[in-house]
Amino acid sequence: MKTSHFFALFLPALPALSSPVHDTSTLYDNVKVMRIPTGNVTEALTQLVAQHGLTLWTLHPQPQSHLDVEVPSPKYSGFIQDVTDVLDTGGIDHALVTMHENLGESIRRESENTFSAQDLKLEAGALAGPEWFNAYHPYADHLTFLDDLVTTFPKNAKIVSSGRSIGGRDIKGINIFGSSGSGTKPAVIWHGTAHAREWIGTMVTEYLAYNLLINYANTTDIKSYVDKYDFYIFPIVNPDGFVYTQTTDRLWRKNRQTPPSGSSCYGRDINRNWNVSWSATGGASTSPCAEDYKGLAAQDAPETQQLAAFLNARANSAAGAKMYTDWHSYDQLFMTPYGYSCSKVASDGTELNNLAAGFGTALEASHGTTFTTGPICSTIYPATGSSTDYAYDVSKIKYSFAAELRDTGDNGFILPANQIRPSGEEVFAGVKYLLANIK
């Protein structure tokens, strides 16, 4: 889809950057990422990963599926031999796939496509132009990108905030609205990058914001959606974790909350911390060192607490809230409630699953990418204390979804920058289907 970008020439000069991206790749030099089929020996393989002290990218591998795991070179031979033995016991083909031969090198290649405005020597205002989606960017530039959109479209956009992170950073978003002004229409709320390493979620939510605004004046269907709904888009709801991925550890997932007593491990998984079936077992970890650590209590992460308050404020307003989506990566999934139970069926489940399927069909028509759709628990794995379940059960936002963006494992979290734009284009096609079909 081609759009007009003349506005990019008239924005103010860019401010100096405060949080550049550093090379964190050496942490992962000579680390392979392997995809291993689980078949009927999932539990044995998961135990094997723990015994070797390895890190899983698939947190809860399911039977007849696969697990993606980081394997440092010194452990590779022994681990693969043990895997082969386990697969033999299950009669499973040894179809191992190497996702990354050297993860450190993959991260370096990604960093070659992570640019600041100063690096690119962009003209004034170009942050809010189409070139933005050709690369990944430092945290400070993402804040400027939202400011530039508001400067360019003051009649249709303003900056909003849900509060501040544990580290004091603003959880900054953009409110996009139609001719009747802000706060008068039902809310559509989109969150990106709850898990810090999932950079594509940041770029895709920004792509949605950009295209709603640039197409408002000249595209009939987009104008109708922006006039019908108030959009609240938060590209980075975990800013401390996101900055940490750019300065210290590219694959950090959680927030940066201080360790609980008796532990040295930082962070909560802010998408396992929402006050919805938080105490249920099997969908999050009680170990502070785990990637999906739920915290000591529901919503004890300030990010989660404030995001929940923002959802409820919109949902309980006179205009109400119509849709919520939490954008993650990777696996190419578009999912509906519930995550906390594989047996409980959402009261609007049939309609939600039909809409999810329609989203997938519309998305596929853009670039041929296929998404699997269905309830969270049965489509990916059990997840307790998740934002999508909270939005549906507590905030009573009927059209609540969770997405896992590109890809299905060729690159995983380290998605090449040349996939940013097609990811945005296909998701925008899916989102337009949803906006046209929700009631």
Side-chain angles (χ1 to χ4, degrees), residues 295-330:
L296 293 173
Q299 293 179 191
D300 68 344
E303 296 90 348
T304 309
Q305 184 179 97
Q306 292 167 101
L307 291 166
F310 190 94
L311 255 64
N312 291 330
R314 302 285 77 73
N316 296 327
S317 69
K322 182 66 69 171
M323 183 197 296
Y324 171 78
T325 309
D326 193 13
W327 302 95
H328 291 264
S329 71
Y330 60 97

Side-chain angles (χ1 to χ4, degrees), residues 322-324 351-352 355 397-401 438-439:
K322 182 66 69 171
M323 183 197 296
Y324 171 78
E351 182 182 3
L352 292 175
L355 284 167
I397 302 175
K398 178 179 178 181
Y399 298 105
S400 293
F401 303 98
I438 61 177
K439 298 175 182 177

Side-chain angles (χ1 to χ4, degrees), residues 217-294:
N218 55 23
T219 307
T220 302
D221 60 344
I222 301 305
K223 186 179 190 306
S224 70
Y225 305 146
V226 175
D227 282 340
K228 188 175 182 178
Y229 301 112
D230 258 15
F231 294 84
Y232 297 90
I233 303 172
F234 293 88
I236 305 172
V237 300
N238 180 6
D240 297 347
F242 183 77
V243 169
Y244 197 75
T245 67
Q246 297 197 327
T247 60
T248 309
D249 182 349
R250 173 63 185 87
L251 290 170
W252 185 259
R253 170 182 165 99
K254 299 180 285 185
N255 75 354
R256 291 295 298 163
Q257 204 153 343
T258 53
S261 178
S263 175
S264 60
C265 295
Y266 279 75
R268 268 74 162 157
D269 181 340
I270 66 171
N271 198 40
R272 299 295 185 273
N273 190 242
W274 294 70
N275 192 15
V276 58
S277 292
W278 176 86
S279 59
T281 59
S285 179
T286 58
S287 170
C289 297
E291 298 273 30
D292 59 344
Y293 175 50
K294 64 167 60 177

Side-chain angles (χ1 to χ4, degrees), residues 19-36:
S19 57
V21 175
H22 300 292
D23 181 7
T24 68
S25 64
T26 54
L27 289 173
Y28 297 98
D29 271 338
N30 301 311
V31 174
K32 296 179 186 289
V33 181
M34 304 299 299
R35 170 160 288 185
I36 301 167

Side-chain angles (χ1 to χ4, degrees), residues 188-234:
V188 171
I189 304 167
W190 293 328
H191 286 175
T193 326
H195 295 145
R197 60 194 177 192
E198 298 167 9
W199 290 6
I200 189 61
T202 307
M203 301 303 299
V204 164
T205 48
E206 289 172 347
Y207 188 90
L208 297 177
Y210 171 79
N211 276 277
L212 288 173
L213 287 169
I214 198 167
N215 287 293
Y216 177 75
N218 55 23
T219 307
T220 302
D221 60 344
I222 301 305
K223 186 179 190 306
S224 70
Y225 305 146
V226 175
D227 282 340
K228 188 175 182 178
Y229 301 112
D230 258 15
F231 294 84
Y232 297 90
I233 303 172
F234 293 88

Side-chain angles (χ1 to χ4, degrees), residues 379-431:
T379 303
I380 185 168
Y381 46 59
T384 53
S386 74
S387 64
T388 300
D389 286 352
Y390 184 94
Y392 186 74
D393 267 3
V394 181
S395 303
K396 304 299 182 184
I397 302 175
K398 178 179 178 181
Y399 298 105
S400 293
F401 303 98
E404 298 283 350
L405 300 169
R406 291 191 184 194
D407 54 15
T408 58
D410 288 341
N411 300 282
F413 299 120
I414 312 302
L415 191 72
N418 62 12
Q419 294 196 41
I420 294 172
R421 191 182 295 270
S423 294
E425 291 168 350
E426 65 195 14
V427 168
F428 193 51
V431 161

Side-chain angles (χ1 to χ4, degrees), residues 68-115:
D68 299 342
V69 58
E70 295 175 14
V71 189
S73 289
K75 297 184 177 183
Y76 181 77
S77 296
F79 175 68
I80 294 301
Q81 183 58 60
D82 288 347
V83 165
T84 300
D85 293 342
V86 170
L87 295 178
D88 281 342
T89 64
I92 300 166
D93 179 37
H94 304 166
L96 308 187
V97 175
T98 303
M99 296 166 59
H100 294 277
E101 185 67 37
N102 182 341
L103 183 55
E105 183 58 34
S106 296
I107 293 171
R108 280 189 286 278
R109 285 197 299 270
E110 179 190 53
S111 69
E112 292 171 0
N113 289 292
T114 304
F115 297 115

